[in-house]
Amino acid sequence: MKKSVICMLSVLLLAGCSAEKKETPALAFKEEYESLNGKETQSGKTYRSISIPEDNPFEKISQDTLSDMLDDESTFWLYVGDSMCPWCRSVLETAVQSAEENHVEQIYYVDIWDDDHNEILRDVKKLDGSEIVTEKEGTAVYEKMLDAFDEVLEDYNLTVDDQTYYAGEKRIYAPTFFYVEEGKAVRMTTGISDLLEDPCQDLSDDILADEKQQLDAFFSGTPQA
């Protein structure tokens, strides 16, 4: 009888520990990204399978929380991306490794899409004749981000059939990692290698080395040559 009670208590304690682990931001991030491993994308391709450690530094926050952090002129690391973004999935494993090696303990994270792949942060642009026009406005937080990150963002342009069209403004792509100091971005990187032509292609040693160099420079604050 005593043994049965002890066993039951052990099971309950283990279950409690397991439930508690699932509630951590790091485990939630791991689960979100790994849940798409091997599944089919909307375009009929296959999501890259990635492995995220349980003690990764990522913590998802709401747009309202990010807005408050910018208003408070906080200093923090930020990742803008999405688990469904193939470019994001091509750099995440390297980003986790680089952050750990450079002693970055917390990276806040905001999504760009909902479950149906609709933009929930950024605006939506389209080409109308020879001009890039806004089809859907971004959120108020996105506009605040564009202002706070202006110094590190590049001008937005769209190339169609070898013709380049300029929007006259800037844009935040996914993935992008920012270091925000007192409410203003002071450096950023996508972590994407120029050798990666298709986000679903195999990551060669050269591509991984290029990713690592970019992300190490970013997380360590070392200017790139």
Side-chain angles (χ1 to χ4, degrees), residues 193-224:
S193 170
D194 289 338
L195 301 173
L196 189 68
E197 299 178 355
D198 182 330
C200 296
Q201 78 184 71
D202 291 338
L203 300 177
S204 67
D205 290 343
D206 287 342
I207 290 174
L208 291 172
D210 194 13
E211 288 182 355
K212 188 67 161 51
Q213 183 179 26
Q214 291 185 55
L215 289 159
D216 280 348
F218 171 72
F219 286 123
S220 67
T222 303
Q224 296 191 64

Side-chain angles (χ1 to χ4, degrees), residues 157-182:
N157 59 76
L158 181 66
T159 300
V160 178
D161 297 329
D162 296 326
Q163 179 70 40
T164 300
Y165 303 88
Y166 298 93
E169 59 187 73
K170 298 183 178 182
R171 185 167 180 80
I172 297 173
Y173 296 94
T176 306
F177 300 86
F178 295 97
Y179 181 60
V180 182
E181 193 171 80
E182 297 182 351

Side-chain angles (χ1 to χ4, degrees), residues 39-45 47 84 114-118:
K39 292 186 177 179
E40 188 174 302
T41 69
Q42 285 189 337
S43 61
K45 294 185 178 181
Y47 282 110
M84 293 183 290
D114 63 17
D115 291 340
D116 295 319
H117 218 275
N118 298 312

Side-chain angles (χ1 to χ4, degrees), residues 78-91:
L78 177 70
Y79 159 60
V80 179
D82 201 278
S83 58
M84 293 183 290
C85 166
W87 295 102
C88 300
R89 299 180 72 85
S90 72
V91 303

Side-chain angles (χ1 to χ4, degrees), residues 19-72:
E20 184 179 349
K21 285 178 70 176
K22 287 183 179 179
E23 293 174 357
T24 66
L27 282 172
F29 182 83
K30 172 183 173 68
E31 182 178 305
E32 177 184 348
Y33 275 74
E34 291 185 358
S35 66
L36 295 178
N37 285 353
K39 292 186 177 179
E40 188 174 302
T41 69
Q42 285 189 337
S43 61
K45 294 185 178 181
T46 301
Y47 282 110
R48 181 188 302 279
S49 290
I50 59 176
S51 178
I52 306 294
E54 292 185 0
D55 59 349
N56 69 81
F58 290 92
E59 177 179 346
K60 182 182 285 189
I61 57 174
S62 68
Q63 291 187 42
D64 288 342
T65 297
L66 176 57
S67 179
D68 290 341
M69 293 170 70
L70 294 174
D71 289 342
D72 293 341

